[in-house]
Amino acid sequence: MKKQILTIVALCGTLSLSAENVVATLHADQGQSKINKEIYGQFAEHLGSCIYGGLWVGENSSIPNINGYRKDVFDALKALQIPVLRWPGGCFADEYHWRDGIGPRQLRPSMKNNNWGGTIEDNSFGTHEFLNLCEMLGCEPYISGNVGSGTVEELAKWVEYMTSEEGTPMAKLRKENGREKPWKVKYLGVGNESWGCGGNMRPEYYSDLYRRYSVYCRNYDGNKLYKIASGASDYDYKWTKVLMERIGRRMDGVSLHYYTCVGWSGSKGSATQFDKDQYYWALAKCLEIEEVIKKHKAIMDEADPEKKVDLLVDEWGTWWDEEPGTIHGHLYQQNALRDAFVASLSLNVFHRHTDRVKMANIAQIVNVLQSMILTDQKGTGHMVLTPTYHVFQMYTPFQEATYLPIELESEKIDVAKAYFKDQATGKNAGTRPLPLLSASAAKTQDGNIVVALTNVSLDKAQTIDIQLEGCTAKTVSGRILTSKNVADYNDFEHPDVVAPREFKDAKLKKGTLSVKLPAKSIVVLTLN
């Protein structure tokens, strides 16, 4: 392999500073598919300080808590209206043995987290702590089962422990551990990344394992499991094809993982120190998920034209270098306005593919990768909301809304595909197109229309005139997320550098919504 150097490939296009007028059409009378609230799902892995110090501090902590859960984090997540939470991994899931995390906490054995930094964990956060948290948050739990190092019996008994009412050995054990009634557990992942950290399997072998495991993960006492197969990593279309052929409708859903990431070895770049070319590269890379989804959908459509099997993007987001001075392997990274754009663009893509995409889980919820929340690693008890958190909160009206088509022609620029130049030749691997504007619209359950508009240009404002077809709007209100610099972020000393504020540059006149959209901004509008 030829040596690479950290020189960003230049853009193939340039931007002018002048504002432009764009005409769009919103078809309010053509809504057909629902935007599942689970598209706004979250992911909590035993990785770094996501669980310990993030979600969980224990009842005896000096940090204010509710039954051991950090109060400030819990309150922020409650406000976010989380629909589903995936746990315990990730790669951690296929080394996790659930019996180590039940019973009196002082008697639970410790374990070494071999995947993430070799951290020793005391298993004080286990099945009861997770499922009780989901109940308190009002969200569906998504359990990732251990297929890589576990057994069929182990996973079957975990399901029994969580969901059986009475008369079974595992129900008796659960009651002895203080939980009389079973939990409702809908989502069950049968393994995670089985092509890699979950066992390094071939798709044919995994398909047979899935069929075997799924037989013994039974429905107890009215609890109906929605079983999810461990699906492909981004461009691995063969994996999806084999699973659709060999598992088919025995699975309710199949997962897909896609990260906006430079690569899996060497530097991934800083989360907060980047130039404009690196900024545009990230947005073009994140938007490539749409082509990836389309290709996986085409494979699924051929095998399952009735769309009985769902596609779940249960890991996605940005992956940058760990912050300097943090523990190696804990994946603690800051979160800039650039990450907020990745979130907005990705959610807009998921909205367009709700015929198959029924769930998405950003990685991860606290202190890891593209997180919603950061907590102080020095034990001061400080917490900060990230720009990505604010995008998710601004987008909450889209949950369970009816997707509405919106036609918008945007100027595009060409962005280099390769983050690195080849040292020997100086060549790159071509370009990706990056639209400067992105939009999504939906009709909410109370009859309002919500419109999200994203302008990724660093220096060009846009005026968008949206023709409203099939509806009459009387008032418009909204919020905007932007900042002076696209690398701006929130920290414990400056928690509100990037935060939403009221947006007043949207007007309604004679069936047209006119919006003056500043450069590098995300706007969400509600039309009554």
Side-chain angles (χ1 to χ4, degrees), residues 5-275:
I5 56 175
L6 268 169
T7 304
I8 188 73
V9 179
L11 292 173
C12 299
T14 58
L15 303 178
S16 66
L17 295 174
S18 61
E20 290 194 358
N21 281 68
V22 176
V23 176
T25 303
L26 192 160
H27 301 280
D29 53 354
Q30 295 184 19
Q32 294 182 344
S33 57
K34 182 181 72 171
I35 300 171
N36 273 23
K37 61 184 179 181
E38 286 81 8
I39 283 174
Y40 291 83
Q42 300 288 333
F43 174 31
E45 183 169 5
H46 286 250
L47 198 174
S49 53
C50 181
I51 302 296
Y52 300 106
L55 293 174
W56 178 258
V57 293
E59 295 97 328
N60 298 323
S61 173
S62 60
I63 297 173
N65 65 87
I66 306 171
N67 300 327
Y69 309 105
R70 277 190 67 133
K71 186 179 186 304
D72 52 2
V73 172
F74 176 85
D75 291 342
L77 296 178
K78 188 74 172 177
L80 207 55
Q81 301 177 35
I82 292 172
V84 60
L85 182 57
R86 182 172 177 243
W87 173 86
C91 293
F92 181 84
D94 283 286
E95 291 199 47
Y96 181 67
H97 300 283
W98 67 272
R99 284 179 179 265
D100 293 340
I102 61 172
R105 294 194 191 104
Q106 68 274 16
L107 300 180
R108 297 180 191 179
S110 296
M111 68 171 291
K112 185 175 183 178
N113 192 328
N114 293 305
N115 288 285
W116 305 116
T119 303
I120 303 298
E121 299 192 8
D122 64 4
N123 274 310
S124 59
F125 189 96
T127 299
H128 289 248
E129 290 75 22
F130 172 69
L131 294 177
N132 289 343
L133 174 62
C134 289
E135 282 189 338
M136 293 166 65
L137 289 172
C139 71
E140 296 277 3
Y142 173 176
I143 295 288
S144 288
N146 184 344
V147 171
S149 69
T151 65
V152 172
E153 180 184 15
E154 181 182 18
L155 187 54
K157 287 188 174 180
W158 197 10
V159 171
E160 180 186 323
Y161 183 90
M162 293 184 290
T163 63
S164 61
E165 178 76 31
E166 58 185 350
T168 69
M170 293 300 102
K172 181 176 182 293
L173 179 59
R174 182 193 68 243
K175 293 179 181 184
E176 290 172 356
N177 288 329
R179 173 76 183 198
E180 181 66 25
K181 292 292 183 181
W183 295 277
K184 290 295 182 183
V185 177
K186 180 177 180 180
Y187 297 107
L188 178 69
V190 183
N192 166 78
E193 294 191 356
S194 299
W195 38 263
C197 64
N200 199 23
M201 303 175 194
R202 295 174 296 109
E204 295 83 1
Y205 178 71
Y206 171 75
S207 296
D208 288 341
L209 276 186
Y210 174 93
R211 290 165 68 117
R212 181 181 175 214
Y213 272 70
S214 64
V215 167
Y216 298 99
C217 294
R218 304 186 187 279
N219 296 325
Y220 290 95
D221 301 306
N223 186 82
K224 183 172 174 55
L225 293 172
Y226 176 107
K227 299 173 186 176
I228 302 162
S230 174
S233 175
D234 42 49
Y235 312 102
D236 188 354
Y237 305 110
K238 177 186 175 182
W239 188 277
T240 298
K241 181 175 176 60
V242 172
L243 267 56
M244 291 302 297
E245 291 172 348
R246 298 200 173 206
I247 300 175
R249 293 186 183 176
R250 290 178 176 85
M251 56 186 174
D252 297 297
V254 60
S255 69
L256 172 66
H257 292 180
Y258 186 93
Y259 285 97
T260 297
C261 181
V262 173
W264 303 112
S265 62
S267 175
K268 294 177 174 61
S270 169
T272 59
Q273 299 178 34
F274 51 87
D275 60 27

Side-chain angles (χ1 to χ4, degrees), residues 198-374:
N200 199 23
M201 303 175 194
R202 295 174 296 109
E204 295 83 1
Y205 178 71
Y206 171 75
S207 296
D208 288 341
L209 276 186
Y210 174 93
R211 290 165 68 117
R212 181 181 175 214
Y213 272 70
S214 64
V215 167
Y216 298 99
C217 294
R218 304 186 187 279
N219 296 325
Y220 290 95
D221 301 306
N223 186 82
K224 183 172 174 55
L225 293 172
Y226 176 107
K227 299 173 186 176
I228 302 162
S230 174
S233 175
D234 42 49
Y235 312 102
D236 188 354
Y237 305 110
K238 177 186 175 182
W239 188 277
T240 298
K241 181 175 176 60
V242 172
L243 267 56
M244 291 302 297
E245 291 172 348
R246 298 200 173 206
I247 300 175
R249 293 186 183 176
R250 290 178 176 85
M251 56 186 174
D252 297 297
V254 60
S255 69
L256 172 66
H257 292 180
Y258 186 93
Y259 285 97
T260 297
C261 181
V262 173
W264 303 112
S265 62
S267 175
K268 294 177 174 61
S270 169
T272 59
Q273 299 178 34
F274 51 87
D275 60 27
K276 72 173 185 177
D277 292 344
Q278 292 168 314
Y279 163 73
Y280 285 122
W281 176 90
L283 303 190
K285 176 67 166 72
C286 96
L287 279 176
E288 195 168 79
I289 194 174
E290 182 149 33
E291 189 63 26
V292 171
I293 287 173
K294 286 179 179 179
K295 290 181 178 180
H296 285 287
K297 280 175 58 178
I299 294 167
M300 296 175 73
D301 287 345
E302 184 175 353
D304 174 33
E306 296 179 359
K307 300 184 186 295
K308 298 292 186 181
V309 181
D310 299 331
L311 183 62
L312 314 178
V313 189
D314 63 11
E315 285 188 33
W316 68 275
T318 58
W319 194 321
W320 309 117
D321 289 341
E322 297 165 334
E323 288 299 304
T326 62
I327 298 172
H328 179 62
H330 281 195
L331 306 189
Y332 183 90
Q333 70 182 40
Q334 250 296 350
N335 195 299
L337 182 60
R338 175 177 66 170
D339 298 281
F341 282 109
V342 170
S344 173
L345 297 178
S346 299
L347 291 169
N348 290 352
V349 169
F350 300 152
H351 292 174
R352 288 195 287 272
H353 296 280
T354 52
D355 59 330
R356 279 281 186 195
V357 179
K358 302 299 184 182
M359 184 194 295
N361 306 74
I362 191 168
Q364 294 184 10
I365 194 167
V366 187
N367 291 335
V368 174
L369 300 179
Q370 192 177 352
S371 60
M372 303 292 111
I373 296 168
L374 296 174

Side-chain angles (χ1 to χ4, degrees), residues 33-36 397-403 442-445 450:
S33 57
K34 182 181 72 171
I35 300 171
N36 273 23
F398 283 99
Q399 294 188 24
E400 299 295 292
T402 301
Y403 175 75
K443 180 176 285 188
T444 64
Q445 291 179 308
V450 58

